[in-house]
Amino acid sequence: MKNMKILVSNDDGLYGAGLEPLIEVMKKLGDVFVVVPDSPMSASSHSITLHKPIRLISQKKNFYTVTGTPSDCVRFGIIGILKGKADIIVSGINDGPNLGEDCIYSGTVAAAREGAMLGFQSFAVSLVPNGKGNFNIAAEYTYKIIKEAMKSKIPKYTFLNINVPDTDEIKGVAVTKMGRRIYDDDISERTDPRGFKYYWIAGKQLSGYPIKNTDIFAIEKKYASVTPLKVDQTDFLYLKKLKKFKF
């Protein structure tokens, strides 16, 4: 596994707290190339930049920022910098959970999905905060999980979503499915100093259903969760029923 070319990205940008710990552990596996957004892009989902130019800024050797989204970063890193010669793509370590439906909104997960779409072994990594901010423990678990997963090839167009609880008492690693999130559906209305209304659509409360074998359940029980996700979102069960319809 030595001498691999590893592309690291994230959605927290250049100053994301989980970036350097991830880079350091990935150096154990090979040569690390970093391409991250030049500003925080949390919840940017799988957006790409189409209608304005993208700028690539070299920060230091093999370390770049991009004036775009996490998906832009991975695409640019694989095609523009590594010329298609990447071995694995790792996105994170996100400062916050990506559990259940968070994966739909997440720029961190989208970066890994972009890597999988391009045919590469990809991983998204997130720290589920509990006030400690222990990204080093999350990084070590990331290294352990990726090293084990790479012993056998991940199926093409599948990628792994890793969440690590922010605790010194992690019980182990659980292989899970996506859970079900509960989001606060409140929209906060406020008034600016000029008298115009503005809104916050992100709710304050975030929880989930503690269903067994899900990522949410594993984190609640102090396990790191590993969830395989697919690029293909087809509902194959309903597809069979839909074929019987007379449109």
Side-chain angles (χ1 to χ4, degrees):
M1 293 178 67
K2 281 290 183 182
N3 300 319
M4 290 198 304
K5 289 186 176 180
I6 302 161
L7 176 63
V8 167
S9 193
N10 69 6
D11 74 356
D12 289 327
L14 178 61
Y15 301 108
L19 181 58
E20 285 298 332
L22 179 61
I23 292 170
E24 287 306 307
V25 295
M26 288 299 100
K27 286 179 180 177
K28 297 178 185 180
L29 297 178
D31 299 324
V32 177
F33 298 79
V34 181
V35 185
V36 296
D38 69 336
S39 61
M41 295 292 293
S42 295
S44 58
S45 191
H46 207 119
S47 59
I48 59 174
T49 304
L50 296 177
H51 303 295
K52 61 181 180 180
I54 294 175
R55 297 188 185 277
L56 177 72
I57 303 165
S58 177
Q59 300 293 330
K60 54 186 176 181
K61 184 180 179 181
N62 297 338
F63 195 125
Y64 305 87
T65 54
V66 167
T67 57
T69 68
S71 302
D72 291 331
C73 291
V74 170
R75 180 166 283 269
F76 205 106
I78 292 173
I79 298 171
I81 294 171
L82 290 170
K83 308 301 181 184
K85 294 181 179 180
D87 291 292
I88 64 172
I89 286 79
V90 189
S91 176
I93 297 170
N94 189 62
D95 188 2
N98 278 307
L99 303 165
E101 291 92 336
D102 296 345
C103 296
I104 297 169
Y105 298 107
S106 169
T108 302
V109 174
R113 187 186 299 113
E114 184 70 23
M117 285 170 61
L118 292 170
F120 295 87
Q121 308 277 283
S122 300
F123 306 83
V125 189
S126 303
L127 177 70
V128 182
N130 192 27
K132 297 181 182 295
N134 202 331
F135 287 94
N136 289 323
I137 287 182
E140 288 300 327
Y141 267 85
T142 300
Y143 170 73
K144 175 182 176 181
I145 291 166
I146 291 178
K147 188 176 179 182
E148 184 66 23
M150 291 297 291
K151 289 180 180 179
S152 61
K153 194 171 179 65
I154 300 169
K156 201 168 186 179
Y157 308 126
T158 293
F159 62 101
L160 298 186
N161 183 39
I162 301 166
N163 282 272
V164 182
D166 187 10
T167 176
D168 299 328
E169 302 174 349
I170 299 175
K171 295 179 180 178
V173 177
V175 176
T176 60
K177 61 183 179 180
M178 281 179 62
R180 288 292 314 279
R181 273 300 206 185
I182 303 171
Y183 295 106
D184 184 353
D185 59 3
D186 181 55
I187 294 178
S188 177
E189 180 184 291
R190 303 178 187 180
T191 305
D192 68 20
R194 294 174 181 262
F196 295 103
K197 294 188 183 300
Y198 67 97
Y199 303 87
W200 287 103
I201 62 171
K204 296 179 181 179
Q205 303 300 321
L206 185 64
S207 59
Y209 297 99
I211 303 168
K212 281 189 175 182
N213 301 320
T214 64
D215 48 10
I216 293 170
F217 183 82
I219 292 296
E220 285 190 358
K221 298 299 181 182
K222 297 184 178 180
Y223 285 86
S225 71
V226 182
T227 308
L229 302 178
K230 291 177 68 68
V231 170
D232 187 346
Q233 299 182 63
T234 305
D235 184 337
F236 287 100
L237 288 176
Y238 185 57
L239 180 65
K240 292 180 181 179
K241 295 181 180 179
L242 195 61
K243 284 183 177 180
K244 297 177 183 178
F245 288 18
K246 296 179 180 179
F247 293 109

